[in-house]
Amino acid sequence: MTKYKLEYIWLDGYTPVPNLRGKTQIKSFDDFPTLEQLPLWGFDGSSTQQAEGHSSDCVLKPVAVYPDPARRDGVLVMCEVMMPDGTTPHVSNKRATILDDEGAWFGFEQEYFFYKNGRPLGFPEQGYPEPQGKYYTGVGYSAVGDIARTIVEEHLDLCLAAGINHEGINAEVAKGQWEFQIFGKGSKKAADEMWMARYLLQRLTEKYCIDIEYHCKPLGDTDWNGSGMHANFSTKYMREVGGKEYFESLMGAFEQNLEDHIAVYGPDNHMRLTGKHETAPWNKFSYGVADRGASVRVPHSFVNNGYKGYLEDRRPNSQGDPYQIASQILKTIAEVEERTEGGISVAA
Ligand code: ADP
Ligand code: MN
Ligand code: MN
Ligand code: MN
């Protein structure tokens, strides 16, 4: 038997953006535990804005498990929050009711700022650094500073060792701003891995006295970019059948459902989706081939392959909940694919 350190991780009840929480329990297993072997656990919901009435007990239900590369015999356990009966999802538990489909693939591009002493890493104490230009994909101390690359490389290695489908890194347009990409088949798998990657990044940066700022426009109405979480998506039908007619009705459904999408694409998005800095205005739907100023960018490859492949919704922001983003995208797609031969099957 080995004593494993199980880190149970969940989303708390804060709105509009939940925080990640985690606590450790030690349990003995013969081998690395499977999901089925991991017990339910409880926590004090009155300390996380999840308490109901007089009873403050909430239940943690393990839903995904990863090795924890930062700890000897460590296990990262993604959990859903349940009511004391252990079976009713807590109102803060969005994951329990999202649409999922393993044929629907998602690639999230998480942008964020490193923050130190209340400002982006690398900003001088007063005023601003050199304007944007050389930071995006930059190399060298004046572009990316001295510690950011160490952190993103360490984060990449942690994610890969945890079995998270981390797909890449780049320095972003603003000083102190970076991006990583997570790809997954199915909304729950992709979104679980995004939340876990966020957790690993936040835990990693503790020792550097650096915070992760996920707000979509931390520098307000200035010439500094905000942060998005572009959602690239495809369904089996989109990849294998597609077609111009299908594509146009899909874009029609996206336009129709604009408000439902914006509602789950992250708070304060009107501050970011202004029409400037490679964004489309939040209240007007648009799409365009290779157009980084559109709501949905249609890759050249999509058109060249006869309107088949994946699309990029550029509106979700860095604070958005990937569970709800993926689910809303699937919900809109299902309106169109239900009418089409070979459409997706979405399981609630
Ligand atoms: P850019 O910065 O040019 O918008 P990135 O390379 O940062 O693009 O991100 C592209 C994302 O698209 C990646 O996360 C990738 O996994 C995702 N992607 C690629 N093919 C598909 C597909 N068929 N379905 C869903 N996502 C996809
Ligand atoms: Mn990108
Ligand atoms: Mn980017
Ligand atoms: Mn993108």
Side-chain angles (χ1 to χ4, degrees):
M1 297 280 258
T2 304
K3 285 180 188 263
Y4 285 91
K5 303 173 188 122
L6 312 178
E7 189 71 11
Y8 276 46
I9 295 160
W10 73 97
L11 298 172
D12 71 14
Y14 281 68
T15 56
V17 180
N19 303 288
L20 284 156
R21 304 275 180 155
K23 61 173 185 158
T24 310
Q25 66 175 336
I26 313 301
K27 290 250 179 251
S28 296
F29 297 97
D30 287 331
D31 299 300
F32 189 86
T34 62
L35 193 54
E36 294 68 36
Q37 287 176 299
L38 295 169
L40 300 179
W41 196 18
F43 70 97
D44 170 16
S46 71
S47 300
T48 61
Q49 302 208 352
Q50 286 164 312
E52 299 284 326
H54 311 293
S55 127
S56 63
D57 280 357
C58 290
V59 171
L60 294 172
K61 177 187 159 192
V63 292
V65 56
Y66 314 85
D68 187 345
R71 268 173 155 179
R72 186 150 62 88
D73 302 318
V75 187
L76 298 162
V77 184
M78 191 68 205
C79 296
E80 283 186 16
V81 176
M82 313 302 283
M83 299 298 284
D85 67 8
T87 54
T88 311
H90 187 272
V91 50
S92 64
N93 175 358
K94 308 293 187 213
R95 184 188 188 278
T97 49
I98 63 170
L99 299 179
D100 202 354
D101 173 43
E102 63 181 29
W105 300 352
F106 292 92
F108 294 112
E109 304 170 46
Q110 174 76 64
E111 295 176 343
Y112 61 91
F113 280 84
F114 288 124
Y115 257 57
K116 180 129 185 149
N117 302 325
R119 352 173 244 290
L121 186 64
F123 270 46
E125 270 178 50
Q126 304 286 328
Y128 295 96
E130 265 184 70
Q132 292 181 168
K134 67 179 183 188
Y135 307 125
Y136 170 74
T137 59
V139 62
Y141 173 73
S142 64
V144 297
D146 56 353
I147 194 69
R149 199 181 296 280
T150 305
I151 297 173
V152 299
E153 291 293 326
E154 245 181 279
H155 179 245
L156 169 62
D157 283 339
L158 287 171
C159 286
L160 293 179
I164 289 171
N165 216 326
H166 188 310
E167 286 214 317
I169 299 169
N170 59 273
E172 265 302 339
V173 173
K175 181 131 200 177
Q177 189 188 31
W178 287 77
E179 169 180 316
F180 64 86
Q181 300 103 33
I182 301 285
F183 173 85
K185 297 182 176 179
S187 22
K188 283 186 179 164
K189 186 161 196 301
D192 284 342
E193 293 191 10
M194 175 52 76
W195 276 116
M196 198 51 79
R198 287 175 175 178
Y199 175 86
L200 289 172
L201 184 59
Q202 283 164 240
R203 193 180 66 178
L204 169 66
T205 47
E206 289 166 358
K207 69 181 178 199
Y208 296 102
C209 304
I210 285 172
D211 273 311
I212 305 303
E213 176 58 70
Y214 291 106
H215 189 273
C216 71
K217 201 69 186 174
L219 296 163
D221 185 17
T222 59
D223 276 332
W224 293 93
N225 272 33
S227 298
M229 188 174 66
H230 299 164
N232 301 270
F233 60 92
S234 63
T235 60
K236 190 168 189 295
Y237 193 89
M238 276 174 71
R239 292 187 301 272
E240 294 176 7
V241 186
K244 193 162 189 222
E245 201 182 319
Y246 161 82
F247 167 72
E248 282 170 359
S249 45
L250 184 63
M251 292 299 94
F254 267 76
E255 179 161 30
Q256 203 72 41
N257 297 346
L258 177 129
E259 283 178 22
D260 293 343
H261 284 258
I262 292 297
V264 296
Y265 278 3
D268 299 333
N269 230 351
H270 59 281
M271 293 174 70
R272 162 180 168 258
L273 299 180
T274 57
K276 292 189 287 187
H277 305 291
E278 299 191 319
T279 67
W282 69 272
N283 55 356
K284 195 175 171 302
F285 180 79
S286 61
Y287 63 88
V289 178
D291 185 355
R292 289 173 191 271
S295 314
V296 168
R297 179 177 66 91
V298 185
H300 279 299
S301 60
F302 190 88
V303 179
N304 295 341
N305 290 333
Y307 291 83
K308 279 205 296 268
Y310 74 96
L311 298 168
E312 177 188 38
D313 194 330
R314 300 176 59 81
R315 297 170 297 168
N317 79 34
S318 40
Q319 264 186 319
D321 172 5
Y323 293 130
Q324 296 178 71
I325 293 167
S327 185
Q328 180 56 50
I329 289 172
L330 271 187
K331 204 168 160 193
T332 296
I333 294 175
E335 286 178 15
V336 175
E337 293 203 7
E338 262 169 12
R339 299 200 299 267
T340 337
E341 213 184 310
I344 48 170
S345 60
V346 284

